[in-house]
Amino acid sequence: MDRLKQIMDKLRERCPWDKEQTHQSLRTYIVEEVYEVIDAIDKKDDNALIEELGDLLLQIVFHCKIAEEQRRFTLNDVISRVSKKLIRRHPHVFGDKRLNDQAEVLKQWENIKINEGKKNIFEGIPRHLPALIMSYRVISKLRRVNKNIKFKNQKFVSLVKKDIRNLKKDKLEKYIGELLFDIASISQMYGIDPEVSLLNKNRMVLHHYEK
């Protein structure tokens, strides 16, 4: 890590391109690096994963260097903050509390975040996420704190549950993919952007629980 920081120091001092970069100008690159990490994971290619995780780490060091030059924060501040957070949010590991399963851990995590002064359970969900990923995250958060998820189309949901009840995960993934593709097909047939439709629904749910 020290070697990487030294290299970044020199780049910011001597490279015309690196010297001109800002948090804003680097936004696209950090998103691209995340997707390249995901590609490497999906390919199960360790060499590619090493490469892409290094590129992602470089972006983190780059942002911290920019902030350090402006006397705002340093890489050590970032590491210290996340270390303290992990200890604070895992009292069942670093304290005396005992939990039995993953569901209890996730519920505790959300409750600790609220006790830390988070305004609501949705803090931390980026509002620029793609609509489907946002829906998944919102529903996950609600279920962690035992919020009841109401289905608007009960008849359709009942039919789907009946069809998928005994499917294994790989078959279930295929089934869900087909359902989503059919929804996209129906949307296209009537000139409706499904991304906009789902984003509007997400906003309605967020508004309901945040007010």
Side-chain angles (χ1 to χ4, degrees):
M1 183 62 77
D2 288 339
R3 177 64 176 148
L4 181 57
K5 289 170 64 179
Q6 290 170 3
I7 292 170
M8 178 52 64
D9 289 343
K10 284 192 175 182
L11 290 173
R12 286 290 284 180
E13 179 184 349
R14 302 180 185 180
C15 175
W17 186 87
D18 288 278
K19 284 198 294 187
E20 295 300 318
Q21 299 313 303
T22 66
H23 291 305
Q24 286 297 115
S25 70
L26 293 172
R27 287 170 75 247
T28 301
Y29 298 106
I30 200 166
V31 172
E32 289 176 358
E33 298 303 348
V34 169
Y35 280 115
E36 288 177 5
V37 168
I38 293 170
D39 282 344
I41 291 171
D42 288 345
K43 292 175 182 175
K44 299 180 180 176
D45 185 335
D46 283 349
N47 285 327
L49 188 54
I50 291 170
E51 179 83 16
E52 301 308 340
L53 286 173
D55 289 344
L56 182 58
L57 178 58
L58 172 61
Q59 289 297 312
I60 294 169
V61 172
F62 207 152
H63 280 279
C64 290
K65 174 61 178 175
I66 292 170
E68 183 177 359
E69 291 170 352
Q70 299 170 358
R71 300 183 183 276
R72 291 160 48 214
F73 61 84
T74 67
L75 179 61
N76 286 339
D77 293 327
V78 172
I79 294 171
S80 176
R81 177 76 62 87
V82 73
S83 298
K84 290 176 182 177
K85 180 166 68 174
L86 287 172
I87 292 171
R88 188 172 64 249
R89 293 187 182 176
H90 291 81
H92 56 291
V93 175
F94 301 100
D96 299 328
K97 191 168 184 178
R98 293 293 175 263
L99 298 176
N100 297 316
D101 56 34
Q102 184 179 142
E104 289 185 0
V105 172
L106 293 175
K107 183 177 179 181
Q108 172 187 258
W109 179 279
E110 296 302 334
N111 288 332
I112 289 174
K113 285 173 66 176
I114 292 172
N115 290 333
E116 288 172 352
K118 303 294 183 184
K119 295 178 181 178
N120 59 70
I121 60 174
F122 302 118
E123 275 198 37
I125 298 181
R127 295 311 193 254
H128 295 292
L129 280 176
L132 191 57
I133 298 174
M134 183 186 289
S135 293
Y136 187 93
R137 293 280 305 278
V138 167
I139 293 167
S140 174
K141 294 274 189 182
L142 289 171
R143 285 189 169 141
R144 285 183 195 178
V145 293
N146 293 330
K147 295 287 187 182
N148 185 35
I149 308 298
K150 294 181 180 179
F151 296 103
K152 295 291 186 181
N153 302 290
Q154 289 291 349
K155 185 175 180 180
F156 173 74
V157 171
S158 297
L159 288 172
V160 170
K161 283 185 175 180
K162 183 179 179 181
D163 285 347
I164 69 177
R165 190 171 296 152
N166 298 315
L167 291 180
K168 292 183 179 179
K169 186 175 180 180
D170 58 336
K171 298 288 187 181
L172 181 55
E173 285 182 346
K174 181 180 178 182
Y175 189 99
I176 296 297
E178 290 172 349
L179 284 175
L180 292 172
F181 192 85
D182 286 344
I183 290 171
S185 179
I186 292 169
S187 300
Q188 192 278 331
M189 187 185 303
Y190 291 99
I192 301 297
D193 186 333
E195 180 79 4
V196 172
S197 297
L198 191 52
L199 278 173
N200 289 336
K201 175 62 178 178
N202 287 338
R203 292 185 183 116
M204 288 173 61
V205 173
L206 291 171
H207 178 73
H208 174 76
Y209 285 101
E210 288 179 334
K211 65 182 179 181

